[in-house]
Amino acid sequence: MRLTFLGTGSAMAVPDRAQTGLLLESDDRALLVDCGSGVLQRLSGTDVGYEGVSTVLLTHHHLDHVADLLPLLKARWLAGEEHLEVVGPAGTKSLLDGLLDVHDYLDGRVDLSVREIGPTEFSVAGFDVAATEMRHSMDCLAYRFAGDGNGDVVFSGDGEAAASTARFADGAAVLAHDCSFPDDVDVSNHPTPSLLGEALAGHDIGRVYLTHLYPHTRGRHEEMLDSVTARYDGDVRFASDGLRIEV
């Protein structure tokens, strides 16, 4: 399985990070996880391209995770692709219906299917997935993608550091986790490095990548890594747009 970070930024734009989006590939399967602003452009630079991604899995419905959904639909229509599936938490159908009400000329251009899921196990785009709830300002799911014998990949989506999420990720080869702000920023609904390190302490994860980075983190990566690893004895790194990992 290959993981590509398409967007590692947040709702506050920076030049070198698109908003949230991850691409998972295995053999001839491809799955886009979240589709924030700038993700479509990043996707166009991959071998898969937007033509090769017919399924999007959403962690939640905040704008920086869904802004490129309709641009993706339109690009696929213009490229002659006929289908798009969007899977996500409760309310995903209402989200798509509302977007198409505004941009009604796109309605019916492709065969759009929508599936809503909860904290359970399911299959999507040929991937076996388990989901668990995150503590965030709206309903949000973290996902664990079963590997092909080489380990699983876990993506937190957005949300606070929690022991339940760490247990969910235990034993995974890769965990991509929200770490939006340094420790001196007073924030809820997102973790700081020290809180993330405390939550992960004692768990066995192959490699942790910090993502969903606000501008507040610029120039402070070493300090943030030190804060996580002072509490969690594991391999922790910062994600960056375009980073590809073989799992």
Side-chain angles (χ1 to χ4, degrees):
M1 184 160 53
R2 173 187 287 178
L3 167 64
T4 303
F5 289 92
L6 299 175
T8 58
S10 68
M12 296 177 69
V14 294
D16 55 342
R17 296 184 189 274
Q19 293 179 353
T20 299
L22 289 81
L23 177 64
L24 282 173
E25 300 170 74
S26 182
D27 298 326
D28 59 349
R29 296 168 286 160
L31 173 65
L32 178 62
V33 186
D34 285 342
C35 195
S37 179
V39 168
L40 177 61
Q41 184 175 5
R42 297 281 198 246
L43 184 59
S44 71
T46 66
D47 293 338
V48 173
Y50 50 79
E51 300 92 339
V53 173
S54 60
T55 303
V56 183
L57 177 63
L58 301 177
T59 59
H60 65 298
H61 302 145
H62 275 152
L63 188 60
D64 55 320
H65 295 252
V66 304
D68 269 6
L69 269 180
L70 282 200
L72 172 63
L73 185 153
K74 182 173 181 178
R76 286 182 58 78
W77 160 48
L78 294 174
E81 301 296 334
E82 298 179 349
H83 178 70
L84 180 65
E85 179 185 28
V86 180
V87 182
T92 297
K93 187 177 187 308
S94 294
L95 171 70
L96 269 297
D97 287 346
L99 290 172
L100 289 171
D101 281 345
V102 175
H103 303 278
D104 57 357
Y105 78 100
L106 291 174
D107 196 3
R109 297 296 188 179
V110 301
D111 175 20
L112 176 65
S113 62
V114 179
R115 177 161 48 120
E116 297 186 351
I117 45 88
T120 186
E121 296 181 357
F122 59 97
S123 293
V124 60
F127 291 88
D128 293 326
V129 187
T132 192
E133 294 177 332
M134 294 293 293
R135 294 201 300 257
H136 195 44
S137 54
M138 67 161 47
D139 289 345
C140 181
L141 295 172
Y143 297 118
R144 182 165 181 150
F145 303 91
D148 301 321
N150 295 320
D152 296 354
V153 171
V154 177
F155 178 45
S156 72
D158 286 6
E160 299 176 15
S164 58
T165 310
R167 290 193 298 270
F168 180 71
D170 200 30
V174 171
L175 167 62
H177 203 291
D178 175 1
C179 195
S180 294
F181 297 98
D183 282 327
D184 58 358
V185 177
D186 184 14
V187 62
S188 60
N189 302 311
H190 295 285
T192 56
S194 60
L195 292 176
L196 180 58
E198 289 171 6
L200 296 178
H203 292 277
D204 181 18
I205 299 166
R207 190 176 297 167
V208 177
Y209 287 92
L210 308 183
T211 188
H212 201 266
L213 305 171
Y214 273 78
H216 308 63
T217 65
R218 295 177 76 95
R220 304 186 66 178
H221 287 190
E222 290 302 320
E223 165 195 337
M224 292 174 68
L225 288 176
D226 288 345
S227 184
V228 178
T229 56
R231 297 158 176 86
Y232 165 67
D233 183 19
D235 186 348
V236 184
R237 309 180 185 195
F238 273 84
S240 58
D241 286 20
L243 176 65
R244 295 183 180 183
I245 304 162
E246 297 286 344
V247 182

